[in-house]
Amino acid sequence: MIGCLRDRTLVRLLYEEGSTRQQRHLRRCARCSEQYAALSRARDVAATVLREAVLRPVDRMALAGRNVGGLFQRPAVRVIAPLGVAAAFAVALIVVLRAATMPVAGSGARPPAGFSLDDVVASAFTLDDAGDWVDADADDLRWQAALGGQRPCETQDGFSDPYCN
Amino acid sequence: MQRMVGACASQGADEYDDLYRQHHARIGRLCRLLLRDDHEAEDVTQEVFVVLYRAYLRGPRLVRWAPWLTRVAVNACHGRRRSRWWRLWHADSGAVDVAGVPVQDPTPEAQAITAEQRRGVLAVFNTLSLRQQEVFLLRYVEGYSTDEVATMLGIRPGSVKRHLFRATHAFQKALRPSRGAQ
């Protein structure tokens, strides 16, 4: 039939809001009546299902898993995540390589293997220096004796040393 | 005087209990359908009745409690779904599996609906926008008029009709018999 009603008009008639002319057309036109009945049935079925349905409780763990999975489906995350992983890997690689090639602190001043306390003493107190130093303090026999590998028989406090030479 | 206040308080408590009994299941169902999460729906339903209790404590008012409660519930669900936390954890909840939805004490009309139709309706309902869901539920499941729905949601009646048209059209498409079945 020419001039059949549009879906929007049929829905308006479903709310009992159409004009009398449209209602009259609906009563006469088989095609519009059929379409109207289908709309009305869909509305009633949907309302009945929603009125009587009790939704299944949400499995929160499954939902959380799905959301985390869904996060990586987002285009922005799909681009940023591999770049982030690559950047983190590059930084880690640089840190490891620098740690491997960097000299240990103080390693340049490390003494050679045969270096001993005697060498330190020998370099700190050369014989000439020792002579000057002893001359400067000539009264102190103990120092002279010590430098000569001897022990004085009389100590500074007046007692005699039984092991003196 | 104290006895009179006590009597009034007791009467108020009785009325509150009546309202709770009358509307708790309805508000709970509405919240469940809007939030699609039983725990959250229970939470929001409790919040709604706490708001009712506070409103009741302020004294008797000339209020039609059913639409008032519905409005509070819809706003609470709206607020919950808009929260950052909700968006983070329920971003994908539109895809919640609704197959095999149990039906409590089905009416003869409900018994006539096939499992396939039921699945189709719930699948379409999941794809509707939140506003379309609210409008359809309030208009056809709760049975409010178009103007009442518009007032409850704070939108124009024209917008209500537009949302209803889209929702009804989507349901009709889903429930249209397949060519093979004809």
Side-chain angles (χ1 to χ4, degrees), chain A residues 51-74:
Chain A
R51 203 174 292 129
E52 307 208 350
V54 177
L55 296 181
R56 184 188 294 164
V58 174
D59 180 354
R60 283 165 181 256
M61 288 308 289
L63 190 62
R66 198 160 51 225
N67 284 335
V68 170
L71 194 68
F72 288 99
Q73 306 264 318
R74 295 183 187 178

Side-chain angles (χ1 to χ4, degrees), chain A residues 83-160:
Chain A
L83 287 177
V85 169
F89 182 74
V91 168
L93 198 66
I94 288 168
V95 168
V96 168
L97 286 177
R98 284 194 68 180
T101 55
M102 191 184 285
V104 178
S107 63
R110 186 180 294 167
F115 206 78
S116 67
L117 190 61
D118 293 339
D119 298 324
V120 175
V121 171
S123 64
F125 303 104
T126 59
L127 198 57
D128 294 342
D129 287 348
D132 293 345
W133 185 61
V134 171
D135 286 344
D137 197 3
D139 293 337
D140 197 342
L141 293 173
R142 284 189 309 121
W143 277 110
Q144 282 189 5
L147 287 170
Q150 294 176 342
R151 298 177 71 144
C153 291
E154 192 173 323
T155 59
Q156 204 171 16
D157 47 8
F159 293 102
S160 60

Side-chain angles (χ1 to χ4, degrees), chain B residues 100-118:
Chain B
V101 170
V103 175
Q104 290 182 332
D105 306 327
T107 58
E109 297 87 50
Q111 282 173 341
I113 299 168
T114 63
E116 191 187 350
Q117 284 178 323
R118 203 178 295 283

Side-chain angles (χ1 to χ4, degrees), chain B residues 67 71 75 138 144-157 160:
Chain B
R71 189 146 113 192
N75 286 337
L138 294 177
Y144 293 107
S145 71
T146 304
D147 288 339
E148 281 175 322
V149 174
T151 309
M152 275 182 207
L153 298 178
I155 56 179
R156 287 175 303 171
V160 172

